[in-house]
Amino acid sequence: MSREIKFRAWLKEENKMVNVETMDFTDKSMQYLEKNEIIDAYLLRRMIFEDVELMQYTGQKDEYKKEIYEGDVIIDCSEDGDYYLKLIGFGYDEKEYSSIIKGFKVVKGIQLDLYFEENKFQGKHAYLLEKYKIKIDNECIHFQVIGNQHENVELLELLEE
């Protein structure tokens, strides 16, 4: 069975995430063509894509059926009950989670100070639950996308700690 190939894009000038199917390159390219009579294909492609970052769909969904793209930040729980924050990127990896997201890997990851005690989640990173509307099921947090590297820069900063 082949994996569905699709992309989303981060529009750098607009600080906006869009599905590639909804992108409209004609306005920008036509504005450029109106000013310049001669343009080669390479320059046109560069002009269109220099302000766009494409991110590929992994072919997988999280526990709540949300599609996972490269650049997504996920929260995950190990078999030992430890919670991790992970940034998904492109490429193969030999680790166990590769079976979850074949062809993609965890680019960055940290263990979170997060634990369930006295009927609630506690620890240094407990604030993430409310801030990112992380779903909790039977006192457990399942594998889920909580943001991405562009719209949630603070998650990247957390991954750098």
Side-chain angles (χ1 to χ4, degrees):
M1 183 175 182
S2 62
R3 178 172 60 81
E4 181 180 9
I5 305 294
K6 62 182 178 178
F7 296 87
R8 69 178 181 198
W10 176 250
L11 306 179
K12 295 175 185 177
E13 287 181 6
E14 300 171 32
N15 285 330
K16 181 179 174 185
M17 190 72 71
V18 296
N19 290 326
V20 171
E21 295 86 22
T22 63
M23 290 178 68
D24 181 10
F25 296 113
T26 54
D27 290 341
K28 190 172 183 180
S29 50
M30 290 312 294
Q31 288 171 4
Y32 190 86
L33 290 172
E34 287 170 4
K35 296 176 189 171
N36 304 285
E37 293 179 16
I38 301 173
I39 186 169
D40 67 15
Y42 171 77
L43 183 59
L44 180 61
R45 279 194 310 270
R46 197 175 130 235
M47 184 228 21
I48 291 172
F49 287 108
E50 69 184 7
D51 295 325
V52 173
E53 183 178 334
L54 292 178
M55 289 158 277
Q56 190 173 0
Y57 173 48
T58 65
Q60 301 297 314
K61 296 179 181 178
D62 70 9
E63 292 287 328
Y64 301 97
K65 308 295 184 225
K66 184 171 183 176
E67 294 177 341
I68 303 171
Y69 285 81
E70 60 182 311
D72 278 345
V73 177
I74 62 172
I75 190 168
D76 196 13
C77 185
S78 71
E79 290 179 8
D80 297 334
D82 296 325
Y83 291 97
Y84 292 88
L85 196 64
K86 302 173 182 178
L87 174 64
I88 303 302
F90 185 75
Y92 286 97
D93 203 329
E94 298 299 319
K95 299 194 172 133
E96 288 180 30
Y97 50 69
S98 295
S99 63
I100 298 170
I101 47 176
K102 291 184 187 319
F104 293 82
K105 65 181 179 181
V106 173
V107 178
K108 294 179 184 171
I110 62 163
Q111 183 174 346
L112 296 173
D113 177 18
L114 186 63
Y115 54 92
F116 192 81
E117 190 174 275
E118 298 176 11
N119 294 321
K120 65 179 181 174
F121 277 94
Q122 299 185 41
K124 176 181 172 185
H125 298 114
Y127 73 94
L128 294 171
L129 301 176
E130 187 174 327
K131 183 171 184 176
Y132 295 99
K133 298 176 177 59
I134 296 172
K135 296 176 178 92
I136 301 168
D137 185 27
N138 291 329
E139 302 172 3
C140 185
I141 298 171
H142 297 287
F143 174 72
Q144 62 188 285
V145 175
I146 65 167
N148 65 66
Q149 66 184 1
H150 297 292
E151 295 173 308
N152 309 103
V153 178
E154 63 281 358
L155 289 175
L156 278 185
E157 292 169 359
L158 185 57
L159 284 163
E160 296 293 332
E161 286 183 356

